Amino acid sequence: MENLLLMGIDTRPMVNSALKLDYKTFSISYFKTLDFKVPYREKHVLNQESVISCGRFEENYSPEKLLELSKDFLFQNDGEDEIDKIVLTTGINASNFSGEFKKFRKIVRGNKNTESVENKFKFYNKLKNKFNVPLTFQPSDIWELNEILQQYSNNQFILKPLQGSGGLGILLLNNGTYDKLKQVNEICENISLENYILQEYIEGTNVSSSVLSSHDDRKNLINSRLITEHDLGNDSYEYSGNILPLDENSFKMFNYYRTEINADELNDEMKDTSEDLIKEFNLIGSNGVDYILDKDGNLKVIEINPRFQGTYELLENSLGINLLDAHIKACEGEIIDIPKPNQYSIKKIIYARKQVDIGYLNIPNVFDIPYEGVKIEKDQPLVTIISSNKDLKTAIDDAEIAEEEVYKNIE
């Protein structure tokens, strides 16, 4: 039996998959929630059982903390527990394995070099003459930024972190030229501009593709309707979930811009474009491509996530596959047969909009459950709701019931 190490911010879904496979499973994560199934050995950064407040993730997390915890598994073994394979999820990549950890890159099952994908300006420059992408700049200072805004005064823009994912840190600039320049001056007093890009704001519907690829082949697994906090009427653009598979019904959810699509044509275009993009960047394993379908029906590439996506459990539920197993096989040269979706699956992340005290949340369709009695700080993720059913309305109703129950059990 081989020893498999899973590493990332939240490894709960991957551990669940690993426990169904013939591996001795190790886990290093930031979160360990109440519903985390403990594998053979595990370590985590945040110990909810011994804290009053879970604090703020962005202030407490770093890949280096995961690597430090991994030393007991990677360096201090007796031979029997020597790690054979490493699979990474959100929050850490192979390039973080530097110095004493560099030798372990060779056993990572996944992408080894993602700089041209993770750096959004390098990503744009590689694609701008081949694919449909939003207009994007990397201004060197506030004067250059203001010049760009004046030159493209009819366009609306966002300031977006140069690296990162999940819609965190996106700042929408005002339409009016004077107001926009004034707003930019105020914003730039509080950020490091060299860590941001200026990107054309596309009004439309967020959609995404999940792709499985080996070095020689790639297959689009499934497409989904991506949900952000903006879709839910909030000011931020943080990732909040998905609905899959993508069809006329799931597309219409939270859709304020377009009400009708030809789902077959859209899915075919996303399939072809996503597979071409994965080939362009020589990516392997499970990867995701995010798009915006604008109000005129044009599909624009936003970014690639060169790792497992937030659709992980939805994809397993809808396709009936073990995605961890499929990912490892693809990295080793074999792509599984892709079944057709057999049901809808919905995911919604609930954020705490104030500091809350956690009550009993071991509720059907609720996952990533905090320990009872801890405090979750304002704007931090609270729980994940996942619901699956052959009937979309039933899946939505079940998710709404779960959400109502969550709010009844927090203060």
Side-chain angles (χ1 to χ4, degrees), residues 240-334:
S240 285
N242 298 79
I243 306 174
L244 57 76
L246 179 63
D247 61 15
E248 285 86 352
N249 295 321
S250 59
F251 181 83
K252 290 177 182 177
M253 295 302 299
F254 312 108
N255 191 310
Y256 307 113
Y257 306 115
R258 283 172 56 88
T259 56
E260 300 296 332
I261 59 164
N262 183 315
D264 289 339
E265 289 181 1
L266 177 58
N267 277 302
D268 285 345
E269 182 180 1
M270 290 174 67
K271 172 186 181 299
D272 292 342
T273 306
S274 297
E275 290 175 356
D276 288 346
L277 283 164
I278 298 304
K279 182 178 181 180
E280 181 78 20
F281 288 94
N282 298 311
L283 299 175
I284 60 171
S286 176
N287 300 278
V289 184
D290 290 346
Y291 301 92
I292 288 183
L293 186 71
D294 72 17
K295 293 190 295 183
D296 297 320
N298 301 308
L299 192 67
K300 297 204 172 187
V301 180
I302 301 301
E303 61 186 41
I304 290 177
N305 297 303
R307 64 186 70 82
F308 291 126
Q309 306 93 61
T311 52
Y312 186 98
E313 290 168 286
L314 310 190
L315 194 150
E316 288 196 332
N317 291 345
S318 189
L319 296 183
I321 66 172
N322 187 308
L323 185 55
L324 178 65
D325 186 44
H327 168 84
I328 292 172
K329 285 179 177 176
C331 292
E332 295 175 348
E334 175 191 353

Side-chain angles (χ1 to χ4, degrees), residues 14 18 29 93 206 267 295 380:
M14 281 60 70
S29 64
N93 57 50
N206 297 282
N267 277 302
K295 293 190 295 183
Q380 295 296 292

Side-chain angles (χ1 to χ4, degrees), residues 227-234 236-238 240 349 351 353:
I227 306 166
T228 71
E229 285 293 290
H230 186 67
D231 292 316
L232 303 177
N234 298 315
S236 78
Y237 292 84
E238 287 177 277
S240 285
I349 299 173
Y351 291 90
R353 293 311 171 196

Side-chain angles (χ1 to χ4, degrees), residues 89-101:
T89 186
T90 303
I92 188 168
N93 57 50
S95 65
N96 295 128
F97 284 70
S98 59
E100 62 183 325
F101 296 98

